[in-house]
Amino acid sequence: PPRRSSVLYSLEGYFIDRDPTHFRLILNFLRDGSIFLPEDFQVLEDLLYEVDFYGLRALREKILKAKKKNRK
């Protein structure tokens, strides 16, 4: 089935209908390019899902590297 858009725009601004659990990490990355990634594999998976939604390729690469490192 088609995915419902999670972003709405009005004259007042944007409303992003996403779970805010990992948004703090994403926002901090957008501010200065740095991020503290947790070691928990499931958290990294969840964060990767959100990063893909926002189209943040640089952050996606950092998460994939962290997942690979944490598997060892």
Side-chain angles (χ1 to χ4, degrees):
R3 228 168 79 167
R4 193 180 124 234
S5 176
S6 297
V7 179
L8 302 173
Y9 175 74
S10 73
L11 294 177
E12 288 108 30
Y14 290 93
F15 173 74
I16 303 171
D17 188 19
R18 302 296 289 181
D19 186 336
T21 304
H22 305 298
F23 190 70
R24 178 181 56 84
L25 296 171
I26 292 169
L27 186 58
N28 286 338
F29 176 78
L30 291 172
R31 285 182 176 129
D32 63 14
S34 65
I35 188 166
F36 172 77
L37 291 172
E39 293 183 8
D40 184 288
F41 186 82
Q42 187 57 53
V43 172
L44 290 174
E45 281 292 306
D46 294 344
L47 186 57
L48 190 59
Y49 184 80
E50 291 301 307
V51 165
D52 285 342
F53 172 81
Y54 291 107
L56 301 172
R57 287 182 274 165
L59 183 49
R60 184 180 208 292
E61 292 303 315
K62 289 184 179 220
I63 294 169
L64 292 174
K65 284 180 185 176
K67 283 176 57 177
K68 186 176 182 180
K69 178 183 170 189
N70 291 343
R71 283 189 188 154
K72 294 178 180 180

